[in-house]
Amino acid sequence: MGLNSMDEYWVPEHVKDYLRKLGFVLSLDDMEPWIRSWDDWMGARGDFYDYRDKDGMGRVYEVHRRSIHPAMRVCKEWGSLLLNEDVKVVCEDQKATDWIGEYFSNTGFMAQAQDTVVRAFGLGTGAWALWLDLDHRKVRIRHYDARMVIPLTWDEDGITECAFVTRAFYRGKAVDQLQMHLCGDVGFSAGSSSPSLSSPSPSPANMDGLLGMEGNGTYRIATVCFDHEGNEIAPVGVTPVCDTGCPLPTFGIVKPAVTNTRVDMSPYGQSVFADAVDAVQAVDLTFDALINEIDVSKMRVFLSDVLFDREKSGDKTISIPFGKTDCTVFRKVMSTEDTIQEFAPALRTGSQAEAFRVALQMLGDLTGFGISYFDFDDSRGYDKTATEVSSDNSALMRNIRRHENALTEALVGIARAVMCVSRSFGESIPEEGVMHVQYDDSIVQDTAAEKAQDMAEVGVTLNAWEYRMKWLGEDEETARKRAAEIGARAVGKGTA
């Protein structure tokens, strides 16, 4: 069993009230019931898994249904297919590409980003947002899932202002931290009993550079903290309002490429398994039935009275019990014939396994993997090669491209924001220009074979620098230069 939903963090009501007093209409109110439901399915919680039943005598007892956590499995699969350490954000300038690659590597961004994608595909929405360490002049990225994301301004093109709510600890006590990423000259006055949006206030005198910018059309991060009773507090070292100097959104919203059909016009996304809840139930129902079949079909042994030792208990003589208390050994009362009798019920695991297999096929089909992705057979089980996946599962390949296109916007957006604010902190980063994401498709495609094929084409239909651009993520200038250097060395060795 996972954590009880009561132990998980959800946006407190006093934070919602605070935002409502600022004049914001919270789209979270309509989506939160759905998000809670999807969270329960990911954790295999709820009435489907823990319920009450009655026996023939009318006695009520609790029942727990076994689970292989199919909803979580679906989300983890999508996370591993879309993001790993080999995914690169590629800029038009090679130095910018190298800088953002080193930044992601040093901060461990991609490893945590995969977890964000897993939660976003399960709950419908996730986010990456900038967090600024003004003392050390460093930019960090924080990760959020749908429970902590509150869009403030949005349209058909996306979310332009957003709030993020998390739990922090200040001097040993839990506090709720609200951070609003607001755009333009809209100021923010915090710390009063009646919160309001006002004209921008001057930056503190001791904050130069980043906080001393004019701020026209740039994003500001407003931070408010609350204690457990909902009272505003001002922890030491937390800047109420910080002008990032970045004209671009200082966050990236992660959503699967699935249309939200639960709440119309909502800025939130929809869980990748929202339309497959019945398939999730079918998988766990058949799995539980398979285990129950094995459990109730254990061999039973019936022993005659004469095989049991006896002892006196008061005026009575009773049989001394032996064996495990697992209902496999029984005593035949007043019997001397057939001292040992075995009974082994016929197992129906073949038909149970077939039903389990059909349920897995439907789960894969309804969650975008194709009907054969979770399928298994006696020879190979779940294991498949990249060639088998790509050749047998065109549905999966199409859906991977759709999700990659949706994910690219968030990755490029947060990378641009990191570089923009880092320049304000004094980092020497060239303009990134046009950016794209180079995904690692080796999991579902035979990348080694494709590389070998392209290598064979070098000098025939493909230039060496084109090969380097495609497979090494270099810009054209760098690729031409390095290809020329390698060619020159090769010529030199040949002459020698």
Side-chain angles (χ1 to χ4, degrees):
M1 296 288 293
L3 286 174
N4 187 283
S5 59
M6 297 297 292
D7 298 326
E8 295 184 345
Y9 186 79
W10 297 85
V11 177
E13 198 60 37
H14 57 260
V15 176
K16 296 179 183 178
D17 290 338
Y18 187 89
L19 289 171
R20 293 188 188 104
K21 290 178 182 178
L22 290 174
F24 293 111
V25 177
L26 306 185
S27 56
L28 178 63
D29 293 338
D30 294 327
M31 280 300 299
E32 190 169 35
W34 292 107
I35 297 171
R36 286 181 179 271
S37 173
W38 297 329
D39 187 58
D40 284 341
W41 285 114
M42 291 180 71
R45 298 185 298 266
D47 295 338
F48 179 76
Y49 293 101
D50 295 282
Y51 59 95
R52 296 179 176 230
D53 205 349
K54 288 185 179 181
D55 60 16
M57 303 297 294
R59 292 171 295 193
V60 178
Y61 59 96
E62 295 183 350
V63 182
H64 172 66
R65 180 171 281 120
R66 299 173 182 88
S67 173
I68 61 170
H69 294 253
M72 179 61 82
R73 173 66 185 272
V74 165
C75 301
K76 286 182 176 180
E77 285 295 314
W78 276 121
S80 64
L81 287 174
L82 294 172
L83 277 189
N84 57 39
E85 295 291 343
D86 293 326
V87 173
K88 296 180 181 178
V89 176
V90 181
C91 308
E92 193 171 351
D93 189 292
Q94 184 61 40
K95 291 183 179 179
T97 299
D98 295 339
W99 188 93
I100 194 64
E102 184 178 359
Y103 174 86
F104 283 161
S105 177
N106 292 339
T107 58
F109 171 77
M110 282 301 175
Q112 297 180 64
Q114 187 179 103
D115 294 335
T116 304
V117 171
V118 169
R119 295 291 294 174
F121 273 57
L123 303 182
T125 308
W128 301 304
L130 297 192
W131 179 82
L132 307 183
D133 184 351
L134 298 176
D135 293 333
H136 299 90
R137 304 180 74 81
K138 296 292 184 182
V139 182
R140 294 289 180 262
I141 299 176
R142 285 191 170 175
H143 304 251
Y144 304 90
D145 61 39
R147 300 171 302 159
M148 312 166 189
V149 178
I150 306 178
L152 301 177
T153 304
W154 69 91
D155 57 18
E156 291 183 357
D157 294 330
I159 300 171
T160 54
E161 293 183 323
C162 195
F164 305 97
V165 187
T166 55
R167 173 161 291 167
F169 288 86
Y170 177 65
R171 294 179 177 174
K173 295 182 180 180
V175 298
D176 298 307
Q177 185 181 70
L178 167 67
Q179 287 197 322
M180 292 173 283
H181 292 240
L182 306 172
C183 179
D185 287 336
V186 178
F188 180 80
S189 61
S192 60
S193 58
S194 57
S196 63
L197 292 174
S198 62
S199 60
S201 56
S203 302
N206 61 330
M207 295 296 178
D208 56 352
L210 189 70
L211 292 181
M213 295 179 183
E214 187 64 27
N216 292 329
T218 60
Y219 273 80
R220 299 183 175 204
I221 301 176
T223 305
V224 186
C225 296
F226 306 86
D227 61 19
H228 69 284
E229 295 179 348
N231 301 315
E232 289 183 50
I233 59 175
V236 176
V238 176
T239 304
V241 183
C242 174
D243 188 346
T244 65
C246 181
L248 305 170
T250 48
F251 55 87
I253 300 298
V254 182
K255 295 190 291 187
V258 178
T259 303
N260 188 342
T261 59
R262 296 306 188 265
V263 179
D264 192 29
M265 304 298 289
S266 173
Y268 287 91
Q270 178 172 293
S271 172
V272 75
F273 62 81
D275 294 329
V277 169
D278 289 343
V280 170
Q281 292 179 345
V283 169
D284 277 340
L285 193 63
T286 52
F287 174 74
D288 188 55
L290 177 62
I291 301 303
N292 285 336
E293 176 74 17
I294 297 172
D295 187 40
V296 301
S297 300
K298 291 182 293 188
M299 178 182 289
R300 266 67 176 177
V301 180
F302 298 89
L303 302 178
S304 174
D305 262 345
V306 298
L307 296 180
F308 286 79
D309 292 330
R310 287 174 168 76
E311 64 180 0
K312 283 192 175 183
S313 176
D315 296 334
K316 297 181 179 181
T317 301
I318 61 174
S319 298
I320 300 175
F322 69 93
K324 298 182 293 183
T325 58
D326 57 355
C327 296
T328 56
V329 179
F330 297 87
R331 180 169 66 96
K332 296 194 294 182
V333 181
M334 304 295 292
S335 172
T336 58
E337 299 179 355
D338 295 332
T339 54
I340 300 177
Q341 185 177 357
E342 299 174 350
F343 174 69
L347 284 173
R348 299 179 301 134
T349 52
S351 57
Q352 299 279 12
E354 185 61 27
F356 181 49
R357 182 178 179 182
V358 171
L360 287 172
Q361 290 174 343
M362 294 309 301
L363 178 68
D365 186 42
L366 292 174
T367 53
F369 293 100
I371 200 167
S372 62
Y373 189 85
F374 290 124
D375 195 10
F376 65 92
D377 56 35
D378 296 335
S379 62
R380 69 187 180 191
Y382 287 106
D383 298 330
K384 295 183 182 181
T385 65
T387 304
E388 288 174 324
V389 171
S390 59
S391 62
D392 297 342
N393 204 338
S394 58
L396 172 62
M397 302 305 298
R398 290 194 302 270
N399 286 317
I400 284 179
R401 293 294 174 260
R402 290 175 61 239
H403 291 309
E404 284 179 349
N405 291 337
L407 190 58
T408 294
E409 183 178 355
L411 282 170
V412 168
I414 198 65
R416 285 189 185 277
V418 167
M419 288 190 284
C420 180
V421 178
S422 295
R423 291 188 190 101
S424 302
F425 278 138
E427 290 279 354
S428 178
I429 309 170
E431 289 298 324
E432 62 273 9
V434 178
M435 299 176 66
H436 70 275
V437 179
Q438 181 177 306
Y439 291 97
D440 175 31
D441 292 329
S442 61
I443 300 175
V444 292
Q445 289 183 336
D446 196 344
T447 305
E450 286 191 44
K451 283 185 175 181
Q453 178 64 32
D454 284 352
M455 180 61 73
E457 295 292 329
V458 171
V460 182
T461 62
L462 193 69
N463 292 312
W465 61 268
E466 292 176 314
Y467 179 91
R468 296 186 67 87
M469 284 185 66
K470 178 178 180 179
W471 292 109
L472 302 180
E474 297 174 347
D475 63 3
E476 182 175 345
E477 180 183 353
T478 303
R480 285 179 178 272
K481 180 180 178 181
R482 292 178 179 174
E485 290 175 353
I486 294 174
R489 288 200 299 268
V491 171
K493 290 180 179 178
T495 302

